[in-house]
């Protein structure tokens, strides 16, 4: 089975200059885990949920772990939790304004549509990634994710079972 047999054709893409909040909205709306990032008609990277989550800063100072005395616990724990939450909200706001190009993984690892599905699976496992943009003559024509490969394997198993 070839990549073109199991890929998602015409994938949702995002511009490299779009804000991260737009990419996050597209991920949510289309229920996908990653998007090819385009600069005009040229693929320049890929942005995934992991790339976005990797931007979240861990609070330091007020949110650091400490062991309070019983009296301090009554007052300081709620204050420290509130400070930590305020820091997280500020970080989330800042992340949303960044351009996708500052967050994306680049260059994107790609595969041709005529490659075997096994080759795509090997790349995904070797590189520890979840999806590959599929290209034809340098243009993005699809995307293949781990779930597509599993679905393709299930379809091939069903056809073998029907032959028996």
């Amino acid at each position: 089975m070839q990549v073109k047999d199991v890929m998602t054709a015409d994938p949702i893409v995002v511009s490299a200059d779009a804000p991260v909040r737009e990419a996050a909205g597209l991920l949510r709306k289309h229920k996908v885990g990653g998007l090819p990032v385009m600069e005009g008609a040229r693929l320049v990277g890929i942005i995934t949920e992991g790339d976005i989550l990797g931007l979240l800063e861990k609070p330091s100072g007020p949110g650091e772990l400490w062991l309070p005395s019983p009296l301090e616990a009554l007052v300081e724990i709620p204050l420290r939790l509130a400070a930590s939450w305020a820091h997280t909200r500020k970080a989330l706001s800042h992340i949303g304004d960044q351009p996708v190009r500052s967050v994306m993984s680049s260059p994107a690892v790609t595969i041709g549509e005529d490659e075997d599905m096994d080759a795509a699976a090997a790349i995904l496992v070797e590189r520890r990634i979840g999806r590959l943009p599929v290209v034809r003559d340098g243009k993005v024509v699809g995307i293949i994710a781990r779930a597509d490969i599993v679905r393709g394997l299930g379809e091939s198993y069903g056809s073998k079972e029907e032959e028996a």
Side-chain angles (χ1 to χ4, degrees):
M1 194 172 279
Q2 292 180 314
V3 167
K4 65 184 168 192
D5 298 324
V6 294
M7 72 180 191
T8 300
D10 301 318
I12 306 301
V13 300
V14 68
S15 166
D17 294 321
V20 168
R21 77 177 72 257
E22 181 179 325
L26 288 169
L27 292 170
R28 184 177 71 72
K29 178 181 177 184
H30 297 284
K31 297 179 178 145
V32 295
L35 302 168
V37 179
M38 308 299 289
E39 199 167 69
R42 187 171 65 95
L43 176 68
V44 293
I46 192 161
I47 186 167
T48 66
E49 294 165 326
D51 294 326
I52 296 170
L53 289 175
L55 290 173
L56 293 175
E57 300 172 15
K58 293 186 176 123
S60 60
E64 289 178 345
L65 178 64
W66 93 108
L67 298 173
S69 70
L71 290 177
E72 286 177 322
L74 292 174
V75 176
E76 285 200 42
I77 289 177
L79 290 176
R80 287 178 184 249
L81 290 174
S84 176
W85 172 244
H87 176 84
T88 301
R89 287 184 59 206
K90 181 179 175 188
L92 287 171
S93 172
H94 174 68
I95 288 169
D97 295 335
Q98 292 184 44
V100 167
R101 75 172 63 255
S102 69
V103 180
M104 68 184 187
S105 298
S106 181
V109 180
T110 64
I111 193 162
E113 65 181 340
D114 294 325
E115 295 288 330
D116 285 336
M117 187 176 65
D118 296 347
I123 293 169
L124 293 174
V125 169
E126 269 179 30
R127 300 280 188 126
R128 295 182 178 173
I129 55 179
R131 65 210 37 85
L132 293 168
V134 181
V135 295
R136 178 192 321 128
D137 300 325
K139 305 270 189 224
V140 176
V141 295
I143 193 161
I144 185 167
R146 292 177 290 191
D148 298 320
I149 293 171
V150 171
R151 189 183 72 245
L153 287 171
E155 288 172 7
S156 68
Y157 174 76
S159 65
K160 287 181 183 177
E161 201 172 65
E162 290 167 6
E163 291 173 7

